Amino acid sequence: MTDNPLMQPSALPYGAPDFTRIEVKHFKPAIEAGIAEKLAEIEAIANSADDPTFDNTLVALERSGELLSRVYGVFGLLSSANTSDDLQAVEEEMSPKLAALSNAVFLNEKLFGRIKSIYNQRESINLDAESKRLVEVYYDQFVLQGANIAEADKAEFKALNEEEATLITRFGNKLLAAAKAAAWVTDNPDKLNGLSDAEIQNLALNAKNNGQEGKYLIPIQNTTQQPLLQSLTDRSVREEIFRRGWSRTEQGDDNDTRAIIARIAEIRARQSKLLGFKNFAEWSLKNQMAKTPEAALGFMAKLTTGAQEKAQREARRIQEMINASGEKFTLEAWDWNFYSEKVRKADYALDENAIKPYFLLSNVLEKGIFYAAEKLYGITFKERFDIPVYQEDMRVFEVFDESGNPFALFYVDYFKRDNKAGGAWMGNITEQSHLLNKKPVIYNVCNYTKPAPGQPALISFDDVETMFHEFGHALHGLFADSKYPTLSGTNVPRDFVELPSQINEHWSIYPEVFNNYAIHYETGAQMPADLAEKLKKTATFNQGYMLTEILAAALLDMQWHTLTDGTKIDDPVQFEKDALARIGLNMKEVPPRYRSTYFLHIWGHGYAAGYYAYLWAEMLDNDAYAWFEENGGLTRENGQRFRDMILSIGNSRDLEKAYTDFRGKQPDIAPMLRHRGL
């Protein structure tokens, strides 16, 4: 395998992958070699004749698996953001092998015995705070992954882990194919009334790229609602697009996910039973900030009534707008965005098309996101053109500290492609670690509509907030300052990991930042003050809808993951209907943000029983932002405090205490309620 570029560390700066040399054929042998290397290292640690010590066990574990980590940093990015049939085949083949590796680590009795011995001595062996935290995190990880499971149950538990891994990969691949197949196509431009010329040109380009020249193609996004529904004037077209997205994974074809999610739910209920828990949620939340499903559900209960009441008021106002237009129909989900936009124009005198020219994607990134980061943290960005990328639209930036010293690489991949998973996310190609002398290599991936050639990349303000959100995750990775990779950066509980991302959204509307990037793409003029003020006044507009759709998804997630062992779900669609009725969030006009059959977060992205985390972290982010407001806002001093006390610590200390040390008190839900207009 001497010709395989993945087998040796890259010679490029920061060990950046050389995408010009990497081919699909390289991944399977490199992953298999990485698995073999990791297994050998684990066996050597577990079977050591020396008494267990922190260095010969836990530090050795932190150093193990370097090849697999390096390969999977690249594979994880490409398999989600730039996949292919061949890459998906490798992913499906490797998933059970990686699950088997996980079993070999966490169910290794000798290895756990060594970790348990160190854990029991942790107070007396003179460990520094981060090393002690590592011991505790490892011990909890092993217990939660089955180290204490009864011997008679281990074979079944291992088989379930491997089956689940295969199904999760298969689910993601089916979902990508289902979204592509559900795209709406027409050859009649009259059906596109309401769209701009640039948007229509882009739909024509979509069709051409799909081998349907002369037609127009609207792709299906990962969420239930679809972006162009707010502009299309033909109600029948809106309904058809909505329904295609709604039922994308329920067509009885190769892309149908119903049987897969039912089986994953059964597996998770059984796994939790074998581990001694009532259900998967009880198991999964054990090491989260919420700790129990009851705490998460109780938190969401504080939001549900207010959210639904606000959504109902919004629905009545939209129905008034429909009636005033002279049309005679009852509001449906596919009408909401179209008529809520009319309400926004009427009640706030704000037109989405009037503000969009001020949000040129490159300006948002460089004059907004990077500008705020420099003001808060003193860091700067310089684009590099000598670092290889896997797709021509990507950009790469080197990151410098306040003294001008380079310390990280940051990639962005913003435009939607058919071979890219839906949604937006951040990830690590290389994770920071002082022990391993690794500097962070971080990426953000989004799914914005690529403009037609010669057209500007203009985005909505919702997209602006998403860019700031994902960059908040990136900052969490860029500022990682941990000795051990297990504790570094974003390796924190799900209901804490969204704090850095969501608080960063606040800077998108902060006057100094907003005025710096919200400039007209043609004239260079700053957004007029009256228009900017109208935009800011809409901060609580439609929040009943937005909070209700998220709550519905989060509570639906909990319904799936509080099933008990032995429960059979014959019809996932009926289960979803019944679940929404039980939780009282079954407004037909406000569907869940994700339906069960295309809920990638909970079946494929590690948020099982954890989608509530966005709301939990929203409480934290609004409370933390209130601290910024109380202490002078966008200043270097404030940014440094947040970096030192939150962004840089990873999971190296108790995060509840870290937050209260930063804030000076326990988090308060009131700022979140005010922010949502509740």
Side-chain angles (χ1 to χ4, degrees), residues 288-300:
Q288 302 297 304
M289 294 188 76
K291 304 300 184 191
T292 67
E294 291 76 20
L297 290 166
F299 165 71
M300 288 189 281

Side-chain angles (χ1 to χ4, degrees), residues 551-566:
L551 279 166
L555 288 164
L556 186 59
D557 167 31
M558 281 294 183
Q559 293 282 307
W560 277 107
H561 290 106
T562 49
L563 293 172
T564 54
D565 181 36

Side-chain angles (χ1 to χ4, degrees), residues 228-529:
L228 294 183
L229 297 187
Q230 78 171 23
S231 302
L232 290 161
T233 60
D234 189 324
R235 187 170 188 246
S236 65
V237 171
R238 293 200 305 271
E239 180 178 359
E240 185 176 351
I241 292 171
F242 179 89
R243 290 192 183 281
R244 290 180 75 83
W246 180 263
S247 62
R248 72 189 80 168
T249 43
E250 299 167 17
Q251 298 300 307
D253 58 6
D254 288 344
N255 303 328
D256 197 304
T257 63
R258 286 174 290 186
I260 284 181
I261 66 170
R263 179 56 185 155
I264 293 175
E266 290 174 5
I267 288 172
R268 290 175 177 173
R270 181 60 182 161
Q271 287 170 323
S272 59
K273 174 70 172 179
L274 293 173
L275 288 165
F277 294 91
K278 289 186 297 186
N279 53 56
F280 184 91
E282 185 181 72
W283 169 31
S284 180
L285 268 66
K286 198 76 174 175
N287 62 355
Q288 302 297 304
M289 294 188 76
K291 304 300 184 191
T292 67
E294 291 76 20
L297 290 166
F299 165 71
M300 288 189 281
K302 296 177 183 178
L303 303 171
T304 302
T305 301
Q308 194 161 39
E309 287 177 354
K310 194 171 195 301
Q312 289 166 346
R313 291 196 300 273
E314 292 165 356
R316 288 193 292 271
R317 178 67 184 96
I318 292 172
Q319 188 65 57
E320 289 173 5
M321 178 63 72
I322 292 170
N323 297 343
S325 70
E327 302 195 64
K328 296 181 180 179
F329 60 82
T330 301
L331 171 66
E332 297 284 355
W334 50 86
D335 300 312
W336 189 290
N337 288 350
F338 182 77
Y339 283 95
S340 68
E341 182 62 20
K342 287 183 175 293
V343 170
R344 181 162 70 160
K345 289 178 186 177
D347 294 358
Y348 296 90
L350 184 68
D351 182 349
E352 177 73 25
N353 292 326
I355 61 174
K356 216 169 184 180
Y358 293 91
F359 300 137
L360 184 67
L361 190 150
S362 58
N363 282 343
V364 174
L365 177 63
E366 297 171 43
K367 298 182 179 181
I369 288 170
F370 289 172
Y371 177 82
E374 182 175 4
K375 291 293 181 182
L376 284 165
Y377 309 114
I379 60 174
T380 53
F381 299 78
K382 181 180 179 181
E383 189 161 12
R384 293 196 62 156
F385 301 95
D386 59 330
I387 304 292
V389 294
Y390 57 78
Q391 216 282 335
E392 61 181 6
D393 297 323
M394 291 179 68
R395 301 176 70 184
V396 187
F397 298 88
E398 190 166 18
V399 192
F400 297 82
D401 66 19
E402 200 163 25
S403 300
N405 300 311
F407 70 93
L409 279 186
F410 175 56
Y411 293 70
V412 295
D413 178 4
Y414 282 137
F415 295 120
K416 179 173 175 57
R417 295 184 297 274
D418 283 341
N419 68 340
K420 181 191 281 191
W425 65 95
M426 163 269 180
N428 304 274
I429 295 176
T430 304
E431 204 153 46
Q432 178 275 336
S433 165
H434 295 307
L435 176 71
L436 304 180
N437 195 28
K438 300 287 187 183
K439 293 182 178 180
V441 180
I442 307 294
Y443 56 85
N444 277 173
V445 179
C446 295
N447 270 279
Y448 303 138
T449 300
K450 185 177 179 179
Q455 296 295 321
L458 302 178
I459 59 177
S460 69
F461 188 67
D462 284 346
D463 294 336
V464 170
E465 289 184 314
T466 298
M467 284 180 67
F468 273 83
H469 177 104
E470 296 306 332
F471 187 73
H473 283 308
L475 288 172
H476 203 179
L478 292 171
F479 288 152
D481 189 22
S482 296
K483 182 175 182 179
Y484 306 112
T486 290
L487 303 179
S488 182
T490 57
N491 291 320
V492 298
R494 289 183 303 268
D495 47 11
F496 190 85
V497 78
E498 297 299 335
L499 165 61
S501 58
Q502 291 179 181
I503 196 172
N504 206 58
E505 292 180 39
H506 290 274
W507 304 116
S508 68
I509 204 71
Y510 193 81
E512 182 182 346
V513 178
F514 184 84
N515 293 337
N516 200 60
Y517 75 82
I519 52 180
H520 199 283
Y521 78 97
E522 288 180 313
T523 67
Q526 196 175 83
M527 182 182 286

